[in-house]
Amino acid sequence: MSTHAKPVAAFDLVIFGGTGDLAMRKLLPALFRRFADDQIPLQSRILGVARETQSDDDYRERVREALDKAVNDKQTLADKVDAFLDLVSYRPLDATNDEGWDDFAALLNEVDDHVRVFYLSTSPRIFVDICRRLKQHDLNGRGARVVIEKPIGHDYSSATEINDAVGAVFDENQIFRIDHYLGKETVQNLLALRFANVLFEPLWNAAHIDHVQITVAETVGVEQRGPYYDTAGALRDMVQNHLLQLLCMVAMEPPASLDSDAVRDEKLKVLHTLKPINADNAGQATVRGQYRAGAANGGSAPGYLEDLGQSSSDTETFVALKAEVCNWRWAGVPFYLRTGKRMPERVSEIVIQFRDIPYSIFDAGSGSIMANKLVLRLQPDEGVKLWLMAKYPGPGGLRLQAVPLDMSFAEAFGVQQPDAYERLLLDVVRGNLTLFMRRDEVEAAWRWIDPILAAWERSTDSPRPYAAGTWGPSASVALIERDGRTWHDGDGQ
Ligand code: NAP
């Protein structure tokens, strides 16, 4: 736990979908950790809302069980659980039905000086109903904030509809579109690395960087999310939001400040400079795959169709693509993105591959000289590795070897890395929008994604099969090898 955490002002947080998976597995444990770290004042109120009827005490018991599963250091925190549960209560409420809303509003209005956060942790189908009723009951005033989870639409036009409906109730500066990847320490460290050091920025361009790779790999299959996932696929579920946001953080120009609009303006410019991928070039620039039965997590794993219980599906569980940022800084520097399910390792990382040295003074006996590489790992063990060439120690001639300058954040700072939701939830309370997506960003990302989806739909090809426990179809290797490059493979140079 951090020893530098500043408390926030007392707040009311309503979690619509308070009995759901996200609330129990992520949001409530994140709030608990911040509470245990003395960042959340005792006057705060956390209210779970869902249709199911249950008492406050029943709900608290469910939250207690959820904390028990999610919090590793529960031994040391055990004495804090009861105090945290005192902040928690429950209201049965149907977002699509007027019953109970008057009481709900009265309960919130008992306290009028708290920041009010409405976290929409439900299906996006009912976002509009919830917002409409919040407005009907005058709960959307100043001091109110709304958090919306992905997916924000399944294409540009549906995203616009959601944004219009939420925007009719809340001002843009009250809307927090969450992408939890932006709450990860490494992503914020990318800002620190780029803009708090003089070393990198002069090299951060096409003259010195050969290409960038962004990988978000999961070992799990679709699990219980099959019915949703089959309507989405990896491009919508991962690339439209997480991977494009990471690309923006790498590629953006230095913002004038950390002010939310300054950062988001720069990210938006990157999205606008992405070279379109459409029916003309999708065959060359993208690869989609779908896992078949194979090996995973030390055992055998079924294929996607078996996981889904269907006999056919053209939904991709893997995507690799080559994105190009068309501006002076990045001309000719491809950004290779890949994400997939049932990969051999759970890993999310950004690899900045620098160019080769222009000329070598070393003879062949010294060994080959690898180009420098900066690897920012987002999970599982957040940290940064800078691969440098060094002399192998001892006599026996000058032999060169690539070695990493390795900074694991947990080791360097001696603290356990907070979950991204811990940071982001408190940013909402503070009203800090920097790590949240603005409406125009979400829509610009969809505008780039839609033509890829359209090209795939028109194509007669199905997603290419790959065995569970592998790095996707061989076409993904071909995508990068065609350009004379290879995917970064874990710890190796
Ligand atoms: P979930 O487990 O299906 O939970 C949905 C919640 O919404 C339940 O509490 C449900 O309770 C409540 N609900 C459904 N209809 C309602 C209504 N008419 N009025 C009030 N409450 C209602 O879903 P989830 O996995 O937690 O996901 C929630 C949202 O976060 C989704 O948009 C999802 O795409 C997004 N998300 C989830 C994750 C994750 O890890 N789970 C990650 C990223 C994004 P009742 O049925 O009792 O009403």
Side-chain angles (χ1 to χ4, degrees), residues 361-393:
I361 61 168
F362 303 96
D363 61 32
S366 301
S368 51
I369 299 179
M370 306 290 182
N372 299 130
K373 189 184 293 201
L374 180 68
V375 180
L376 300 127
R377 193 172 262 236
L378 281 60
Q379 59 189 27
D381 41 352
E382 296 188 55
V384 176
K385 262 186 198 175
L386 177 61
W387 287 86
L388 301 168
M389 293 305 297
K391 177 191 171 294
Y392 191 81

Side-chain angles (χ1 to χ4, degrees), residues 17-23 25 49-52 93-96 121-124 126-127 149-151 421:
T19 56
D21 174 68
L22 182 69
R25 219 165 34 80
V49 169
R51 288 169 302 182
E52 185 183 341
L93 204 59
D94 185 343
T96 61
S121 180
T122 63
S123 155
I126 57 173
F127 285 180
E149 266 291 348
K150 73 163 203 185
Y421 281 99

